Amino acid sequence: MDDKIRRAEELLEQRARERGGNGHANVDTEGPAAEQPAAVTPEGQKTEELTNDLKRMTADFANYRKRNEAERTEFAKFAKADLISKILDVLDGFDRALATIPEELKGTPWVEGMWLLERKLRAILEVEGLKPVDSIGSQFDPYQHEAVAHIPSDQPEGTVIAEHQKAYRLHEKLIRPALVTVSSGSEGKEKN
């Protein structure tokens, strides 16, 4: 038994000398062995295939994680869109109510408190990424506007002349189009 152990240790030492300190085989650049390619064993080829498969799977998994993280970030960005759309109706109600306050009541503490609530609500929505879209004076865009009327005006045809409900974007996505009145051109054109 001692002979077998001693022989195994000698073989290990011999392989370590042949491979060098870094674990790779020492390559003799001179002589007949350098000219012949190393014979590839079936086990070595299988190991290389498995290593390549593992590298591919690792890269695929890394790409999957990046894609998944990007999708999760995008979902979180717009997950609040339904809730914010519902809150916009409340904000519109504030705007309509505050626009109809009589002049004699505008300086009262109650009215000032309502203005403060409206500003706080807008600030919270802006922090979440909500931005109003200005429509008046711009060209009608069916992706941003819903026309509720076409009336003659001094403005060129297709220009938004009145806004009945404001459009809003959440980050870069339009979550509510504006309800607008669009100019149909001047009255003089229609009479001709």
Side-chain angles (χ1 to χ4, degrees), residues 11-188:
L11 285 172
L12 285 174
E13 287 176 12
Q14 181 182 359
R15 284 189 183 160
R17 279 190 301 254
E18 288 174 0
R19 291 199 173 262
N22 61 5
H24 296 291
N26 288 333
V27 179
D28 184 14
T29 56
E30 298 176 13
E35 294 172 8
Q36 297 178 1
V40 178
T41 62
E43 294 85 18
Q45 187 176 11
K46 184 67 173 173
T47 303
E48 187 177 333
E49 287 176 16
L50 291 173
T51 303
N52 289 338
D53 288 347
L54 183 61
K55 287 178 183 177
R56 241 186 324 276
M57 287 176 63
T58 303
D60 288 345
F61 185 68
N63 290 338
Y64 164 77
R65 288 180 64 191
K66 288 177 188 173
R67 224 177 15 257
N68 193 12
E69 185 63 31
E71 288 172 359
R72 199 175 306 143
T73 302
E74 189 73 11
F75 176 77
K77 202 174 182 184
F78 295 107
K80 305 169 208 157
D82 284 341
L83 176 62
I84 289 175
S85 293
K86 292 175 185 173
I87 292 174
L88 286 176
D89 290 336
V90 174
L91 195 58
D92 289 341
F94 262 115
D95 290 340
R96 285 189 295 273
L98 293 172
T100 61
I101 294 176
E103 282 296 322
E104 63 271 3
L105 296 177
K106 283 195 177 179
T108 63
W110 185 86
V111 173
E112 292 300 319
M114 294 303 290
W115 280 107
L116 179 64
L117 286 174
E118 187 264 347
R119 284 192 302 268
K120 282 185 177 181
L121 182 59
R122 277 194 197 280
I124 290 169
L125 293 174
E126 284 177 12
V127 167
E128 293 298 323
L130 186 73
K131 292 189 177 23
V133 177
D134 292 328
S135 298
I136 296 179
S138 66
Q139 200 61 20
F140 177 78
D141 179 0
Y143 296 107
Q144 293 187 22
H145 307 117
E146 282 185 35
V148 293
H150 284 78
I151 60 171
S153 75
D154 295 340
Q155 298 292 324
E157 185 176 352
T159 302
V160 175
I161 56 173
E163 186 177 59
H164 307 288
Q165 180 177 307
K166 198 163 228 14
Y168 287 94
R169 289 186 184 282
L170 183 61
H171 304 290
E172 67 276 350
K173 182 180 174 187
L174 187 74
I175 64 169
R176 186 175 84 175
L179 298 178
V180 297
T181 298
V182 180
S183 172
S184 60
S186 66
E187 290 182 52

